[in-house]
Amino acid sequence: VVGFKELLCPTQYTHENAYNGNDYASIREMTIRHNCEIIYNSLPDSLRPIFKKWEIIVANGNSSTNSSGNTGTQVINDYLAAPAYKEIFGVNSSNHSDEGELLTQLAYYSAESNRIKKYNGEDMDWFLRTPNNYFYYKAGYYAYIVNKTGSASSKLTGYQNDDMYCAYSYLSPIGCI
């Protein structure tokens, strides 16, 4: 597994009619996955072939009434992914232990200083793929982040504005070579 030292993809992804029957967790996942795809496609042509599609365990975060969040997992195949809570912090998130039971911490992130990421020289929060259903009234809109000090927190991944879903995220994806 390889990762990026600095943050990438500080763009706003706008998805028309994103809700359109999708639950909020699906929208959050689409947004983070879409931004990882943007990063992968922006890699130089000579670098893209070294990355392999790999199986990524993702927590289902679509429980709008269950703040415990243990709604199972799914496996997706992608070139790059935002890391999960357990891969960064080495422990299960408080509301997605089902995802954490299947993962281990990435050794590089055992040092808190390695969790601090910069964009243009400034420390920034960055998104993980693990949803945070503690905010169950907006389940799926929230995901765990690594904050500017290298600790865990949670942040809104976007907002619904009429029929437009707007999201913003700094990512430090991981991939398999």
Side-chain angles (χ1 to χ4, degrees), residues 20 30 37 58 64 87 90 92 99 107 110 114 133 141 152 160:
N20 200 21
M30 285 186 320
E37 186 179 317
V58 178
S64 60
E87 292 169 323
N92 292 337
E99 175 188 68
S110 62
N114 289 338
N133 286 2
Y141 267 125
Q160 186 77 27

Side-chain angles (χ1 to χ4, degrees), residues 1 86-88 104-112 114-115:
V1 173
K86 174 89 174 257
E87 292 169 323
I88 301 300
T104 58
Q105 184 176 33
L106 300 172
Y108 178 77
Y109 290 111
S110 62
E112 190 172 71
N114 289 338
R115 299 178 200 148

Side-chain angles (χ1 to χ4, degrees), residues 10-93:
T11 60
Q12 178 171 309
Y13 166 54
T14 304
H15 191 286
E16 291 184 39
N17 300 316
Y19 184 72
N20 200 21
N22 292 312
D23 58 48
Y24 293 126
S26 296
I27 296 167
R28 174 197 44 77
E29 182 185 318
M30 285 186 320
T31 301
I32 292 174
R33 284 185 74 189
H34 177 78
N35 283 331
C36 284
E37 186 179 317
I38 290 171
I39 293 168
Y40 175 77
N41 289 332
S42 70
L43 293 173
D45 291 341
S46 59
L47 252 155
R48 265 185 260 138
I50 69 169
F51 286 91
K52 300 175 179 129
K53 274 200 171 188
W54 56 300
E55 290 187 345
I56 303 156
I57 297 167
V58 178
N60 291 330
N62 58 355
S63 173
S64 60
T65 58
N66 177 5
S67 63
S68 74
N70 280 323
T71 55
T73 58
Q74 62 180 309
V75 175
I76 59 172
N77 290 295
D78 251 326
Y79 292 104
L80 296 176
Y85 189 97
K86 174 89 174 257
E87 292 169 323
I88 301 300
F89 297 106
V91 296
N92 292 337
S93 69

Side-chain angles (χ1 to χ4, degrees), residues 7 83-85 87-89 109 111-117 123-129 143-155 170 172:
L7 293 173
Y85 189 97
E87 292 169 323
I88 301 300
F89 297 106
Y109 290 111
E112 190 172 71
S113 61
N114 289 338
R115 299 178 200 148
I116 298 169
K117 303 282 183 171
D123 294 347
M124 300 297 288
D125 298 340
W126 53 285
F127 278 98
L128 303 176
R129 71 176 180 263
Y144 282 101
I145 63 166
V146 179
N147 66 26
K148 295 174 186 181
T149 64
S151 300
S153 192
S154 185
K155 195 171 192 175
Y170 289 93
S172 186

Side-chain angles (χ1 to χ4, degrees), residues 160-174:
Q160 186 77 27
N161 181 6
D162 297 325
D163 287 335
M164 194 74 73
Y165 182 77
C166 301
Y168 35 86
S169 59
Y170 289 93
L171 296 172
S172 186
I174 56 176

